[in-house]
Amino acid sequence: MAKRSRRGKTIHPWWSFDEKHTKEAGKAAMLTAREIARKLHPRRREMLQHMRIYAGRYDLRGGSYAADQQPSYNITRSIVDTARSLIAAAKPRPMFTTSDGGWELKQRAKLRARIIDGQFDIANIDALRHQWFEDGAVCGIGILVPYIDPASHEVRASLADPLRYLVDPREGLRGQEARSTYYLSCVDRGVLLADFEDDPEACALINQADAPEQSGFDLDMLLDADTTADQVLVLESVHLPSRAAYGDQEASEDGKRMISVSGGALTVDPYTEDIQPHAYFRYQDDPCSFYGKALAEQCRAASRRLNRLGEQTEAASRLGSTLKWLLPRGAEVDERELSNEMGTGLEFDERHGRPELVPMAAVHPSWFQERDSIREEVFSATGYSTLQAEGNKPPGLNSGAAQIAHDDIQSRRHAPHAQQWEIGHMRLTRVFEILNDRNTEDGHDIPLPAKYRRGRSEFVREVRWSEVTKDAGKLYTRTFPISSLPNTPRGKWGLVKDWIGTGFMSRLSAQQLMDFPDIDEQLRFEFADYDAVMNDIEDIIDGNFEVMPVPMIDPAVAIDISRASYLQLRTDRAPDDILETVQRYMTSAQALVTMAQQPQGAPQGVPQQVPPGVPGAAQQIPQGPVAAQPGQGVVAA
């Protein structure tokens, strides 16, 4: 159904045009985006104001505050940075769970999570997380745009400017998915021509396309600035299908994804997914807006009060903080001789008292008390503290258990924001899955990195996405943080010691949790037996049924880990061949213990045999007594 804009122009839904009218569809999308930008002007002005307050800049075009207009104290930056250090420090990892799935489905779920984890590293998500969170805290929403690199066909990601991401004010309310989104970006004309060099019609549209400052968009108050860059305003429009694909039911055909410039559409592709292809982080949900509520919004009034008080304090100090001469009446002092220079003399009549040079207090102490009161008030309102902003812990909080309890109290206050952070990562995982599926459908089933961790070692194995797509509809996505331990080394070590002392965890398992890069190399030697056994168990799970413990391994560690692994695999309903191999592995480790306990006075010249099932069983070991105890390895003398 056609609509009319404020200027009287008829706006047709751009997704309703057929393939023969892509040029008209591109113009209709551009007209629709321009109308939405006009409606969102107050909201975008507010975002821009928050960005300026956070950055401490008056003009985002490059100009800064004048010397006498610099903010005396940027409370907004202090609180936003504190929130980022506490919440964005958690790096949620994707996980896939199954609903009573079999062994193969569970293994595909683990492999799928490892692939996404490896893709996050390639897309440099760790480096984008901080800016993503900052956009959400300052503007209300942070937007990550995953995309497929046309050259390598790898999934990458970039940050979208919230000021240029347009959604109709009536869409996306109360957690609902926005039906249509419009993202405007400025792209170099030469780069765009290179991307469409095989399409003469698209190149003609690009050459005739308007520059950003000619587009009529008041995007971020930057586009009207003079520039030497030859850029083109590019619009990405996405409309969800009226009925998404579900099971055997096909999606409706009105779902579209279009790239266009001012003259028309460059590409138009069908879109069948039920979510927009972007990942959102909202610091706080706003029931009246798609864009969410910003943390900077809560700091705006306090920031204005602090800066006004700072300006008054500075002016009072500049005008009143001077030295004053106190002259007794009748002292007969020549005012021309008054000076604050060293070594100067002054004549006066002592009968009437001595002149004094006294510094005057220009600012009343209550002004500084009011400043501190405003700071405490805004920190308390946002749920943070000045100690957190300064990077300090409360006095006397030294033990790991005390730090855990303190962190729990703080995390409860910020649970809604931390939940939004996890929701954003779950959505990011979903978009990566969509792009991987699209790559596979287009014939670009490239090897993807799957991150593995065995003991303290981490490595990458290449896996194709098609290997983990079977029964993908039975998987459920969730996230969990990389570490729930205290952040400080002292707190982490204290908590691990408490676990060992209470018997909650063995010493070997607890020490695996210690992640100190400066001693990591030494720990690799310390836990060599543990890492070797874990690597053997993973090889067995991957299908290598010839793996057995080597004679040099600590048999007690091998028995303990293989026993626990057998029980866990049995609970997960692993295939019988894997269970039998793990059982043989444990039996071979027990045989190593038996061999180590042979009497030390064995007759000389009689060779001792390695028990059956252990690598090297056909070879004799050196003669002599065996000096080894269970749990200390096998050492042949």
Side-chain angles (χ1 to χ4, degrees), residues 259-276:
I259 307 296
S260 59
V261 292
S262 59
L266 301 178
T267 62
V268 182
D269 300 311
Y271 191 79
T272 59
E273 305 297 335
D274 58 349
I275 66 170
Q276 294 288 339

Side-chain angles (χ1 to χ4, degrees), residues 243-527:
R243 183 185 66 249
Y246 183 79
D248 297 333
Q249 182 181 6
E250 295 184 358
S252 54
E253 298 181 356
D254 59 343
K256 297 287 180 63
R257 184 174 186 176
M258 181 171 64
I259 307 296
S260 59
V261 292
S262 59
L266 301 178
T267 62
V268 182
D269 300 311
Y271 191 79
T272 59
E273 305 297 335
D274 58 349
I275 66 170
Q276 294 288 339
H278 313 121
Y280 309 126
F281 164 66
R282 298 176 180 88
Y283 183 78
Q284 184 177 343
D285 276 332
D286 186 350
C288 301
S289 173
F290 164 83
Y291 292 93
K293 284 188 175 182
L295 176 60
E297 183 178 350
Q298 304 176 41
C299 308
R300 185 171 56 191
S303 178
R304 186 181 298 112
R305 291 170 59 193
L306 280 173
N307 288 331
R308 186 183 299 114
L309 183 61
E311 292 172 2
Q312 294 173 352
T313 303
E314 183 181 355
S317 299
R318 185 172 61 252
L319 297 176
S321 293
T322 57
L323 297 174
K324 302 291 186 181
W325 279 100
L326 300 183
L327 303 177
R329 292 184 181 276
E332 299 182 0
V333 176
D334 188 356
E335 295 182 0
R336 292 175 297 179
E337 297 179 0
L338 296 177
S339 172
N340 59 356
E341 295 182 3
M342 296 179 58
T344 58
L346 183 65
E347 293 184 358
F348 62 93
D349 189 347
E350 191 174 1
R351 292 176 300 173
H352 299 280
R354 303 180 59 179
E356 294 186 22
L357 187 61
V358 180
M360 304 297 293
V363 181
H364 195 273
S366 63
W367 288 25
F368 297 105
Q369 295 175 4
E370 182 181 359
R371 180 197 63 186
D372 295 339
S373 175
I374 295 174
R375 288 183 57 194
E376 292 295 336
E377 178 184 338
V378 67
F379 270 106
S380 176
T382 55
Y384 302 97
S385 67
T386 54
L387 286 175
Q388 293 172 332
E390 295 166 358
N392 298 325
K393 62 179 181 63
L397 199 68
N398 298 321
S399 69
Q403 289 193 31
I404 286 290
H406 181 263
D407 291 343
D408 285 343
I409 294 173
Q410 298 295 327
S411 62
R412 286 198 297 270
R413 174 63 177 83
H414 306 299
H417 314 309
Q419 185 179 19
Q420 291 289 340
W421 188 236
E422 293 180 359
I423 290 173
H425 281 79
M426 290 177 63
R427 186 182 180 98
L428 180 63
T429 300
R430 177 68 182 125
V431 177
F432 266 68
E433 291 181 283
I434 291 173
L435 295 181
N436 287 333
D437 290 338
R438 184 187 304 171
N439 249 342
T440 304
E441 293 173 359
D442 293 343
H444 304 301
D445 190 18
I446 62 175
L448 301 175
K451 287 179 63 176
Y452 283 78
R453 186 174 182 87
R454 298 182 177 178
R456 299 191 67 84
S457 301
E458 187 176 281
F459 61 95
V460 176
R461 167 189 165 194
E462 289 189 342
V463 181
R464 297 186 186 275
W465 186 252
S466 57
E467 300 178 26
V468 296
T469 54
K470 184 180 179 181
D471 295 329
K474 299 179 181 179
L475 302 180
Y476 302 92
T477 308
R478 66 185 180 93
T479 61
F480 71 98
I482 288 181
S483 178
S484 298
L485 296 174
N487 295 325
T488 62
R490 184 173 182 178
K492 185 182 295 186
W493 176 241
L495 182 63
V496 169
K497 286 198 300 183
D498 290 343
W499 283 347
I500 296 174
T502 57
F504 176 74
M505 191 175 291
S506 68
R507 172 183 173 274
L508 183 61
S509 298
Q511 285 179 306
Q512 295 296 319
L513 302 175
M514 306 303 292
D515 186 17
F516 299 146
D518 51 346
I519 61 173
D520 186 68
E521 192 63 30
Q522 183 62 34
L523 290 177
R524 287 172 62 87
F525 283 97
E526 185 74 19
F527 302 131

